[in-house]
Amino acid sequence: MVLDPQYGMYVWPCAVVLAQYVWMHRMELEGKTVLEIGAGVSLPGVLAAKCGAQVTLSDSAELPHCLDNCRRTSQENELSLPVVGITWGQVSSSLLLLPALDVILGSDVFYEPEDFENILFTIAFLLRRNPHAQFWTTYQERSADWSIEALLHKWNLKCVDVPLESFHANKEHLAGSNLPGSHTVQMMIISLKEPRAR
């Protein structure tokens, strides 16, 4: 199997697991404002919208075909969700014009280690603008050497691991995939740490 180098054109196992979490927390999302980052085919974001959230979909500003894919997914699901291009690590007008957020969704955005700092800069920026918001994210374990712990500390963020069994996502068929490789998926919630005492 040869994969398209544009990762945002597939429903990856992490998206399915995050969608399961969204579904299990659908009552909390009703009426909330949600941003899905790195949305690709937008499964978690579209599901959040179907559950009553006000959702904006986003993907890389440098990948217009991924943004088109977000629009197409929205339309195919009889939705009219706004779609914005965001560049990791850059404060753009797209970021500044976002509405106040309650939840940020991101499935498998921690894919390339060289992007981790820019991703967490962007998340920290959004959380500082929305101090009560949370970043719900799933990621696939690809290497024991890859860690975001130092970057969480740098950007004054905290992380809570969410056991997959707590939302019935520990079933092999849920995150199963015909894509090559191992698909060990984890879930975490990132938020701002309490302000440091002076």
Side-chain angles (χ1 to χ4, degrees), residues 142-178:
R142 292 184 173 85
S143 170
D145 296 333
W146 297 358
S147 175
I148 61 170
E149 189 173 340
L151 294 171
L152 291 170
H153 180 73
K154 176 180 179 176
W155 297 111
N156 199 37
L157 302 172
K158 63 182 178 182
C159 170
V160 175
D161 290 319
V162 180
L164 298 189
E165 59 271 10
S166 72
F167 58 101
H168 310 292
N170 57 330
K171 312 289 189 259
E172 188 172 318
H173 71 276
L174 183 68
S177 171
N178 293 327

Side-chain angles (χ1 to χ4, degrees), residues 5-93:
Q6 304 305 324
Y7 308 123
M9 305 307 280
Y10 297 98
V11 177
W12 294 92
C14 288
V16 177
V17 172
L18 185 56
Q20 174 76 4
Y21 190 82
V22 165
W23 179 251
M24 296 302 288
H25 293 83
R26 62 192 175 276
M27 301 302 233
E28 295 172 37
L29 290 173
E30 190 172 350
K32 300 291 186 187
T33 305
V34 174
L35 170 69
E36 184 178 5
I37 61 169
V41 295
S42 314
L43 176 63
V46 165
L47 181 58
K50 291 284 190 175
C51 292
Q54 302 300 310
V55 176
T56 300
L57 302 174
S58 71
D59 211 307
S60 173
E62 287 84 32
L63 299 174
H65 61 283
C66 285
L67 296 171
D68 289 342
N69 203 33
C70 292
R71 288 182 194 93
R72 213 172 15 260
T73 302
S74 173
Q75 292 165 355
E76 289 294 323
N77 285 278
E78 300 177 357
L79 297 166
S80 183
L81 302 177
V83 175
V84 298
I86 293 176
T87 301
W88 301 130
Q90 293 183 14
V91 177
S92 64
S93 59

Side-chain angles (χ1 to χ4, degrees), residues 108-119:
D108 218 2
V109 295
F110 296 108
Y111 188 83
E112 300 285 353
E114 60 268 17
D115 293 334
F116 289 3
E117 180 150 13
N118 285 334
I119 292 166

